[in-house]
Amino acid sequence: MKVPVSALEGCLASFIAADERRTKASTQFFADTGLMAMLCRHDHVLWLVNMTTAGERQYYALVLIKMLFMNLPLSMTVGILYDIGCQLERCCQIWGFLEEFMARILFALVVFHAYGHQWPCQLVYHPHKCEGFGLSDGEGCERFWSAIKLLIPSMRVAGFYHWLFTIDTQVKHLDKKSFDMMGKWLQRKWLTCLERKIEAEEILNELGFEISLLENEWKQQVAAQTKPLAQQSKNIAIIAIKEILALYTAKKSFATELGGLDDQLISGAYEDDMSVEDVLAACKAIMKKQGVIDANIKTKKKRLGVKDQDDLRKLMGNKFLQLKLNARALKQRLRDHLRNRKFELERLERAYQQTTSNETKLHSHVQKQINRQQPTIARLAKKYNDMCYDMTKQIQEGKASGNSIAPVPINQEHLFALDVDEHESEIIPGWLGNENICEGITAMLIAKRCAEEMARIKQERTALQEWSREEWEAINMAIVMCEDEDIEHQLVIRKSRHLSLCAQWREQVSLIPDTYPMLKGWGPDIKDMDSV
Ligand SMILES: [Zn+2]
Ligand SMILES: [Zn+2]
C-alpha cells in the first residue's frame, strides 16, 4: 500500500459521510437510483451504467473499467481518475479485482474531490502530483451531469425505455457537439498549458535550484509524509524495552564471536580456509557492527528516558513509562496532523490568488475540508494534555522513577499556532523548512505535468489530422462507388460537412506542432477549405 491504512480509512470515512447525505435525497425519487458514467479525457461518454442500489458501490466502477479494457489493445496503460481512486485501488489489491489489468492501471483522484482526502493520500493520488496524468483533472463527469441535469424533471415521470432513449439521444447530441469543437478544445488546452508552463518555469528560474535537487526533496517528502503516523499502544513500553533487550542479546553474541576470533589470532590456529587477513577483516566487521548496536541502544534508551543502571526488565510493566511513550506518540501524531494542515493552508493561499470562478469554488471547498479536520486535531491535543496531567499525578504519588519530569501541556487556544516545525534535535529537511524548496517542488511538478500534457496534445492534434484525411478519402471513394441516388445525396452532404469541419480544425490547431512527420494536408484541397 502506497498510503498508510489509517489515512485511507480517513478518506473512506469522509466519503461515506458525503455519500449518505446524497443517498437519502436520491432514493426517494428513483427506482433506479442513478447513473455512473465513464468519460474519456475529452469529456466524451464512453459508457453509462444505471445503479440499482443506493450510493456509489465499487462494483459499478469495476464493471466500467472492465468494459474499457475489453475494448483496448493489450499494450495500453490507462490512468483512471475517480472520486475515491485510493479506495478502489485498495479494494482491488485486497480482493484481487481487475487482477489481469492492474499492471496497466494508474489510479488517481478527481482534482475537485482530492481535497476531501487525507494529505498523505493526496501526495500519492492527486493527478497533478502523479507521473503521466498531464493536466487532466477528471472533471468530465461533473460537466456531463450539469449538461443532462435538465432532463431530471421529465425523467421522473418517464418509463424505463423512454428514459433510456432520452439519455442515449442526449449523449449522442453532446458527443457530436464536442466533436465539432475538437479543434477549439485542442487550441484551448494548448494555450492554457503553455501559460502554466511558462509560469512554472519562471518560478524555477528565479529560485535557481537544480531539478534533481527538487526531485530528491519531493521524493523525501512523499516518503516522510506517507509513513504511518505514530501509534499509541497498550504494549508500547514493552515493545520498546524488548527492542533494547534484543540489541543487548545481539551485542553479546557478537562479543562471543569476537572472542573466538581473538583466540585464533593468539594461538595461530586458524579455522579451515581462513588466513590472518580474513580473521582480521572479520574482527573489524564485527567491531563495526558492535559500534552501530551501541549507538542504537543509546538512542533507544534516551528515548525511553532510562539511565544505564535501571534494570530494563523491571520497567516492563511500568505505568509511567507506558504513559510517557504513548504521550510521545500522540504528540508526534498531533504534529503530523498540524504539519499536513499547514501544507494544505499554503495551497489554499496560492489558490486564492487565482480568481476564476472555478478556482473560487475550489477555494471555499478546500477551506471547508480543512476546517473539518480541526476537531480531530483539537481532540488529539486534549488527549495529550490529559496524559500530561496523569503523568504529573503519578510523579506526585511517587510512581515514577526519581528524576522524572512531566511534559508541559499544550495551550489549546494557541494550538493552531503551534510551531509544527519544531523537531527534537533532528536536521529539518528542505521540503519542510525551506520555503523556496517548497515553492520549487510545486513549480517542478506543474512543469512536468505541462510537458506531459503538451506531448499528449501534439499527439492528439496529429491523430485528428490523420483521421480527417482518411475520412475524406473514404467519403470520396464511397461517392464514386455509390449506385443509389438517395445514398449518394447523403454522402455529398457528409462531404460538405467534413469540408467545413476540416477548415475550422485546420485553423484552430495551426499553433500546435505535430509529433512526427506525417503526410501534409487534411484531405480536402487547401483552396476549398479557404473558401469555406
Ligand atoms: Zn477521447
Ligand atoms: Zn484518499
Side-chain angles (χ1 to χ4, degrees), residues 223-242:
Q225 295 193 316
T226 53
K227 240 181 13 204
L229 293 182
Q231 289 285 352
Q232 304 173 68
S233 115
K234 258 189 262 167
N235 300 322
I236 195 163
I238 297 180
I239 293 167
I241 292 168
K242 275 188 181 159

Side-chain angles (χ1 to χ4, degrees), residues 341-511:
R341 186 173 175 276
K342 192 179 140 198
F343 272 93
E344 300 209 48
L345 282 175
E346 271 165 9
R347 196 191 39 215
L348 188 65
E349 275 162 28
R350 262 201 307 280
Y352 196 54
Q353 291 154 7
Q354 295 165 334
T355 45
T356 62
S357 69
N358 206 5
E359 292 285 351
T360 323
K361 214 165 78 188
L362 190 62
H363 179 258
S364 66
H365 180 69
V366 178
Q367 181 80 64
K368 232 183 276 164
Q369 294 297 346
I370 294 176
N371 287 344
R372 219 164 63 191
Q373 289 167 15
Q374 286 193 8
T376 316
I377 294 174
R379 205 167 50 236
L380 283 177
K382 187 177 173 301
K383 203 165 164 195
Y384 178 77
N385 286 350
D386 288 347
M387 281 181 159
C388 293
Y389 299 134
D390 267 2
M391 284 162 83
T392 316
K393 215 171 99 196
Q394 292 206 4
I395 291 174
Q396 285 163 355
E397 289 168 2
K399 284 181 188 158
S401 64
N403 48 7
S404 301
I405 304 166
V408 187
I410 296 166
N411 182 343
Q412 271 169 295
E413 270 174 41
H414 299 131
L415 178 60
F416 293 103
L418 196 70
D419 184 8
V420 289
D421 293 337
E422 155 218 336
H423 265 235
E424 286 169 13
S425 68
E426 295 171 47
I427 303 158
I428 297 175
W431 58 265
L432 186 60
N434 185 330
E435 298 284 326
N436 286 344
I437 289 184
C438 293
E439 203 184 340
I441 289 176
T442 314
M444 172 200 68
L445 290 175
I446 293 177
K448 284 191 172 200
R449 295 299 87 79
C450 285
E452 290 164 4
E453 176 85 359
M454 289 174 102
R456 186 163 296 151
I457 294 174
K458 282 195 238 170
Q459 195 93 38
E460 286 166 342
R461 174 237 184 280
T462 312
L464 189 71
Q465 184 166 347
E466 279 179 339
W467 176 82
S468 162
R469 211 174 40 234
E470 262 173 50
E471 178 79 359
W472 182 253
E473 273 166 29
I475 297 173
N476 280 317
M477 182 87 79
I479 291 175
V480 172
M481 288 163 67
C482 185
E483 285 166 2
D484 183 314
E485 213 177 308
D486 297 337
I487 292 181
E488 194 184 332
H489 175 69
Q490 289 300 319
L491 286 169
V492 171
I493 292 176
R494 180 138 184 187
K495 186 176 168 180
S496 79
R497 211 178 78 79
H498 191 68
L499 177 67
S500 69
L501 210 52
C502 281
Q504 276 177 39
W505 284 351
R506 187 173 72 115
E507 199 184 308
Q508 284 157 345
V509 304
S510 58
L511 277 173

Side-chain angles (χ1 to χ4, degrees), residues 16-34 53-56 152 156:
I16 288 175
D19 198 42
E20 266 166 9
R21 251 173 284 135
R22 199 169 45 201
T23 310
K24 266 184 208 142
S26 69
T27 29
Q28 296 162 2
F29 295 109
F30 303 107
D32 287 325
T33 44
T53 47
E56 283 181 43
I152 294 176
R156 282 193 187 148

